[in-house]
């Protein structure tokens, strides 16, 4: 078996069979985006492509057996991720229908909603959208302005957009195809607001016309994702039956009395959002998949394209230039790291969502924090790596026929949907700094400061996997020595990442504790001054998590030769991460000047060592060459 096959098997993870099935079946469906189509043609085509996905079983996998699905959450997420290797418009469109809209029905609704909607939305008899974001409110979902006011005289909710900024915006499916929306709105009954809840609201009749009180409009052209019909929705006193409230976490009886199994408004809101975690996980995975495609295209190109040389006519392969190795191999290594981390995240999500009983709160919150941080890291990596891949291919990379510009445009928005990345890293840090304390709700900066002011800031640190292996590697590290090559020791690398995380978290907590006893304005000012520190805490936590996931993934690899190669790739990820943050490691006396210089020297040694394996690593991503869709690779 070729080494690249062993590497691919290790990288494919638990749902390898889904990836292999997708590579074969999706390649036969002609899913490549066609730039010659009009907006309407592209949208119609992607809807027809979605219908071809239904027989694959991937849409049904995301729903429980009792709801009409097949109950394999890991398969559903992996299947959606694989669509990103072919067409990100299709991936987003499918994710909205089966992940967001379908996920809201299943996770926020009860049996009557499941029976009424899930079979139809699986087979596309019911087309839906996920109406959360508003023109004036994106990440701050708790402050949404759309209202759902209960009228006891008719036992109906009245859905209304009270201001221009309350218009639902950027909603995939809203412009053309969606017949029904899962609408998030402030539930008001008996004059009291009970926070954001989700409601099923019909949008269009059988001819596609807006229903009374509904006004939809089109976002038209975007920077990418041309086949996704993003649009806007406004509600003018739209009445829906009481039963259209998705009532798993909040119910209104015939007389308008509200009840919920979760008393706290904050806890209820974040419990509801937590059940929809699959969308955020899918976005991160899709960003990584698209990055792997871009690096596969650029990597193959620089392995055939020649430029300059010591003698006229004696040109050198681009990949033999150290600068090209510097540009691409660390990005390939980071992509490997994120795939192992994504595999681990999906497996954890699958265990939690497939279990018969709800998970302990700390496990659910840890999953949410992990998903938030990894999504931010993966999508920022996609933005950087796809741009670098484009530049590495010169003018050819700028031609649409070579796909890199399409990948760049399509993934650009991933850094902001399913949560702005800065906000998501803030969420990660909040979970760490509060030790998963339930009394701290959401992203309220004042609440975070006041909690940190009264705690000893003991950080809950749950290792990602293979905790005994990780601890053994750390315990057996050489420690500070005169041998600079101890930086290649995995235990040393893990210890550096862990030590940095602990220090950043502890110092962030100390800064926030200065606000003890402060009033609202002073507490917010303290938080605002420390916000960059808080976000750094989230970032370094995720870097440690990713390194541990990569280490655990190597341990599960069954091929000794593939293990050896992956160990070098992992070291390249670790050392380039340290190199990018050398100012911190040196400024905090974790690396002396001479050892800091050694980091760069060791990175160059690894580049030299990995250069002969470039094609193997590209093939390890598992993106079939025939599906890359780049004309320059055929010339």
């Amino acid at each position: 078996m070729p080494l690249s096959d062993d590497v691919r098997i290790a990288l494919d993870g638990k749902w390898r069979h889904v990836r292999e099935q997708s590579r074969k079946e999706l390649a036969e469906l002609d899913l490549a985006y066609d730039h010659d189509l009009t907006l309407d043609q592209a949208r119609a085509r992607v809807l027809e492509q979605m219908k071809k996905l239904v027989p694959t079983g991937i849409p049904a996998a995301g729903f429980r057996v009792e709801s009409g699905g097949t109950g394999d959450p890991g398969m559903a997420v992996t299947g959606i991720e694989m669509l990103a290797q072919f067409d990100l418009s299709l991936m987003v469109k499918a994710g909205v229908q089966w992940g967001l809209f379908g996920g809201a029905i299943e996770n926020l609704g009860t049996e009557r909603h499941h029976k009424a909607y899930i079979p139809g939305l699986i087979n596309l008899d019911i087309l839906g959208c996920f109406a959360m974001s508003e023109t004036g409110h994106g990440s701050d979902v708790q402050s949404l302005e759309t209202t759902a006011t209960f009228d006891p005289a008719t036992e109906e909710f009245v859905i209304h957009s009270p201001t221009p900024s309350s218009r639902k915006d950027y909603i995939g499916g809203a412009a053309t195809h969606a017949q029904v929306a899962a609408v998030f709105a402030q539930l008001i009954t008996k004059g009291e607001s009970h926070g954001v809840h989700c409601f099923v609201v019909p949008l269009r009749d059988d001819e596609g016309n807006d229903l009374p009180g509904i006004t939809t409009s089109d976002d038209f052209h975007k920077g990418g994702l041309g086949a996704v019909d993003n649009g806007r929705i406004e509600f003018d006193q739209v009445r829906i039956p009481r039963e259209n409230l998705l009532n798993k976490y909040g119910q209104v009886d015939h007389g308008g009395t509200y009840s919920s199994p979760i008393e706290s408004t904050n806890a209820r809101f974040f419990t509801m959002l937590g059940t929809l975690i699959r969308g955020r996980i899918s976005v991160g995975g899709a960003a990584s998949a698209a990055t792997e495609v871009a690096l596969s295209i650029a990597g193959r190109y620089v392995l055939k394209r020649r430029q300059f040389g010591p003698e006229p006519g004696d040109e050198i392969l681009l990949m033999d230039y150290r600068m090209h190795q510097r540009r691409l191999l660390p990005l390939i290594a980071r992509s490997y790291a994120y795939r192992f981390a994504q595999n681990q995240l999906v497996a954890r999500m699958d265990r939690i969502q497939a279990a018969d009983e709800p998970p302990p709160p700390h496990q659910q919150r840890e999953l949410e924090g992990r998903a938030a941080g990894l999504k931010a890291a993966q999508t920022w990596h996609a933005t950087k790596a796809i741009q670098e891949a484009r530049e590495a291919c010169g003018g050819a990379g700028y031609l649409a026929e070579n796909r890199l510009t399409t990948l760049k445009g399509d993934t650009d928005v991933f850094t902001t949907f399913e949560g702005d990345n800065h906000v998501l890293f803030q969420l990660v840090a909040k979970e760490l700094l509060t030790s998963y304390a339930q009394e701290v709700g959401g992203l309220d900066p004042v609440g975070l400061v006041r909690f940190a002011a009264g705690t000893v800031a003991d950080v809950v640190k749950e290792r990602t996997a293979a905790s005994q292996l990780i601890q053994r590697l750390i315990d057996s590290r050489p420690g500070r020595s005169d041998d600079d090559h101890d930086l290649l020791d995995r235990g040393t690398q893990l210890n550096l990442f862990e030590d940095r995380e602990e220090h950043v978290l502890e110092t962030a907590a100390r800064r926030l504790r200065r606000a003890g006893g402060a009033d609202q304005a002073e507490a917010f000012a303290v938080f605002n001054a420390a916000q960059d520190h808080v976000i750094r805490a989230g970032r370094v936590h995720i870097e440690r998590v990713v390194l541990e996931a990569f280490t655990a993934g190597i341990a599960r690899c069954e091929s000794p030769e593939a293990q050896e190669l992956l160990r070098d790739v992992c070291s390249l990820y670790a050392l380039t991460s340290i190199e990018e943050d050398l100012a911190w490691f040196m400024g905090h006396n974790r690396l002396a000047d001479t050892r800091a210089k050694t980091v760069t020297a060791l990175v160059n040694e690894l580049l030299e060592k990995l250069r002969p394996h470039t094609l193997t690593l590209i093939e390890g991503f598992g993106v079939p060459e025939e599906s890359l869709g780049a004309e320059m690779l055929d010339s």
Side-chain angles (χ1 to χ4, degrees):
M1 180 184 293
L3 177 58
S4 59
D5 287 351
D6 289 331
V7 172
R8 188 189 70 251
I9 289 169
L11 200 59
D12 275 354
K14 180 177 179 180
W15 281 273
R16 175 192 167 201
H17 62 290
V18 180
R19 295 186 185 278
E20 292 290 3
Q21 173 191 339
S22 297
R23 289 175 185 131
K24 179 179 182 298
E25 294 183 355
L26 296 179
E28 297 172 353
L29 296 181
D30 185 26
L31 304 180
Y33 183 76
D34 186 347
H35 289 271
D36 293 329
L37 298 179
T38 66
L39 209 59
D40 289 341
Q41 289 170 335
R43 291 171 173 181
R45 182 173 185 260
V46 84
L47 182 58
E48 290 304 310
Q49 290 171 333
M50 283 180 63
K51 295 175 183 177
K52 297 176 182 178
L53 299 179
V54 175
T56 68
I58 289 172
F63 300 91
R64 289 183 284 270
V65 173
E66 56 270 29
S67 300
T70 57
D72 192 342
M75 176 182 178
V77 170
T78 303
I80 294 293
E81 175 188 325
M82 291 300 293
L83 294 176
Q85 289 191 1
F86 295 86
D87 181 13
L88 283 153
S89 284
L90 178 59
M91 173 265 153
V92 170
K93 186 81 170 173
V96 168
Q97 172 71 14
W98 294 307
L100 294 177
F101 174 66
I105 298 293
E106 178 165 70
N107 293 302
L108 303 181
T110 50
E111 185 178 1
R112 68 169 182 258
H113 303 110
H114 302 160
K115 289 181 178 179
Y117 296 103
I118 288 179
L121 70 87
I122 289 176
N123 64 25
L124 299 181
D125 287 340
I126 299 173
L127 297 177
C129 65
F130 186 79
M132 177 181 282
S133 294
E134 296 178 357
T135 301
H137 295 87
S139 296
D140 187 8
V141 180
Q142 273 186 298
S143 298
L144 294 179
E145 296 178 82
T146 303
T147 56
T149 305
F150 187 68
D151 180 356
T154 60
E155 293 195 32
E156 293 173 317
F157 282 99
V158 181
I159 311 297
H160 187 59
S161 306
T163 66
S165 60
S166 66
R167 175 185 63 186
K168 297 297 180 182
D169 211 344
Y170 328 115
I171 310 302
T176 307
H177 293 147
Q179 303 157 321
V180 182
V183 176
F184 288 79
Q186 304 285 350
L187 190 158
I188 300 170
T189 182
K190 294 186 174 180
E192 181 180 357
S193 176
H194 296 276
V196 174
H197 288 65
C198 189
F199 303 80
V200 178
V201 183
L203 297 180
R204 294 183 169 94
D205 61 23
D206 293 340
E207 284 73 45
N209 301 309
D210 289 349
L211 292 171
I214 302 286
T215 301
T216 63
S217 54
D218 202 324
D219 284 325
F220 292 110
H221 293 282
K222 307 179 294 293
L225 301 173
V228 182
D229 54 324
N230 293 88
R232 306 178 176 103
I233 312 171
E234 294 177 80
F235 306 96
D236 184 8
Q237 308 293 338
V238 176
R239 289 181 172 268
I240 60 172
R242 182 175 65 92
E243 290 75 19
N244 283 30
L245 165 66
L246 297 178
N247 63 331
K248 183 175 182 179
Y249 296 104
Q251 175 67 288
V252 174
D253 67 15
H254 298 280
T257 299
Y258 178 84
S259 61
S260 171
I262 304 174
E263 184 174 347
S264 165
T265 301
N266 269 340
R268 181 168 61 246
F269 173 74
F270 281 94
T271 297
M272 288 192 286
L273 285 195
T275 66
L276 305 175
I277 194 68
R278 205 180 297 175
R280 189 167 285 165
I281 294 173
S282 294
V283 168
S288 285
T291 305
E292 292 164 10
V293 173
L295 292 173
S296 296
I297 293 171
R300 289 180 183 275
Y301 181 75
V302 299
L303 287 171
K304 62 180 287 188
R305 178 79 158 86
R306 295 179 180 271
Q307 190 93 307
F308 304 109
E311 299 290 340
D314 185 20
E315 294 183 313
I316 296 174
L317 281 174
L318 291 180
M319 198 59 197
D320 287 332
Y321 285 100
R322 176 54 50 84
M323 198 60 229
H324 259 68
Q325 295 167 12
R326 266 275 178 180
R327 295 170 77 179
L328 294 180
L329 284 173
L331 297 174
I332 290 172
R334 187 169 290 270
S335 291
Y336 267 69
Y338 287 153
R339 176 82 83 84
F340 280 116
Q342 176 75 6
N343 290 345
Q344 190 180 92
L345 177 66
V346 172
R348 183 168 294 205
M349 176 218 72
D350 183 77
R351 286 196 302 271
I352 287 176
Q353 295 198 347
D356 294 331
E357 297 294 328
H362 79 278
Q363 287 187 11
Q364 178 66 32
R365 292 169 71 93
E366 194 275 339
L367 176 69
E368 294 167 23
R370 186 74 51 84
L374 193 54
K375 178 266 178 184
Q378 288 170 301
T379 55
W380 266 330
H381 173 59
T383 296
K384 177 182 178 180
I386 296 172
Q387 176 65 22
E388 195 67 64
R390 205 291 298 158
E391 292 183 24
C393 296
Y398 196 60
L399 298 179
E401 67 181 17
N402 293 319
R403 203 179 169 193
L404 293 170
T405 54
T406 301
L407 289 168
K408 180 174 172 56
D410 286 348
T411 56
D412 190 56
V413 74
F414 281 31
T415 59
T416 48
F417 74 44
E418 282 292 335
D420 175 274
N421 285 352
H422 291 93
V423 175
L424 293 184
F425 271 145
Q426 186 175 309
L427 173 63
V428 175
K430 189 270 295 185
E431 296 297 337
L432 294 167
L433 288 165
T434 60
S435 301
Y436 307 108
Q438 293 185 18
E439 58 265 44
V440 179
L443 293 170
D444 171 38
V446 176
L448 174 58
V449 167
R450 288 180 173 167
F451 180 80
T455 183
V456 295
D458 289 330
V459 176
V460 174
K461 183 173 62 183
E462 182 175 338
R463 287 220 164 95
T464 59
S467 57
Q468 292 181 340
L469 167 66
I470 302 299
Q471 191 61 53
R472 187 167 66 248
L473 288 169
I474 291 175
D475 291 343
S476 63
R477 71 190 186 280
R480 292 178 180 265
S481 71
D482 295 330
D483 181 7
D484 289 331
H485 279 71
D486 74 322
L487 289 167
L488 291 173
D489 175 77
R490 188 74 68 240
T492 299
Q493 296 164 2
L494 288 161
N495 185 65
L496 283 169
F497 278 49
E498 187 172 291
D499 179 53
R500 177 181 58 169
E501 179 187 354
E502 290 179 351
H503 181 89
V504 171
L505 284 168
E506 288 170 1
T507 52
R510 282 203 296 271
R511 289 184 68 180
L512 295 176
R513 278 205 297 270
R514 295 171 189 166
D519 61 23
Q520 291 273 116
E522 291 172 325
F524 184 85
V526 169
F527 168 80
N528 199 39
Q531 189 174 25
D532 58 334
H533 197 154
V534 170
I535 289 171
R536 168 178 274 270
R539 181 179 66 79
V540 299
H541 168 72
I542 291 300
E543 284 200 346
R544 191 264 299 175
V545 164
V546 170
L547 181 58
E548 289 188 0
F550 202 156
T551 302
I554 294 171
R556 288 191 294 270
C557 177
E558 297 180 358
S559 164
E561 190 179 2
Q563 266 198 348
E564 182 180 355
L565 177 59
L566 289 171
R567 278 194 285 269
D568 287 335
V569 176
C570 186
S571 285
L572 183 59
Y573 162 71
L575 291 180
T576 51
S577 296
I578 293 170
E579 187 180 45
E580 289 174 358
D581 207 15
L582 267 183
W584 188 91
F585 285 103
M586 295 176 69
H588 292 81
N589 298 315
R590 267 58 177 186
L591 289 176
D593 289 355
T594 55
R595 279 168 61 82
K597 294 175 183 177
T598 300
V599 171
T600 295
L602 291 176
V603 167
N604 286 335
E605 287 182 19
L606 286 167
L607 295 175
E608 190 79 23
K609 189 175 183 181
L610 289 171
R611 161 61 187 93
H613 298 287
T614 303
L615 184 59
T616 296
L617 294 174
I618 290 169
E619 291 176 339
F621 285 137
V623 184
E625 186 174 4
E626 60 274 13
S627 72
L628 287 173
E631 294 292 329
M632 64 186 176
L633 299 181
D634 297 329
S635 58

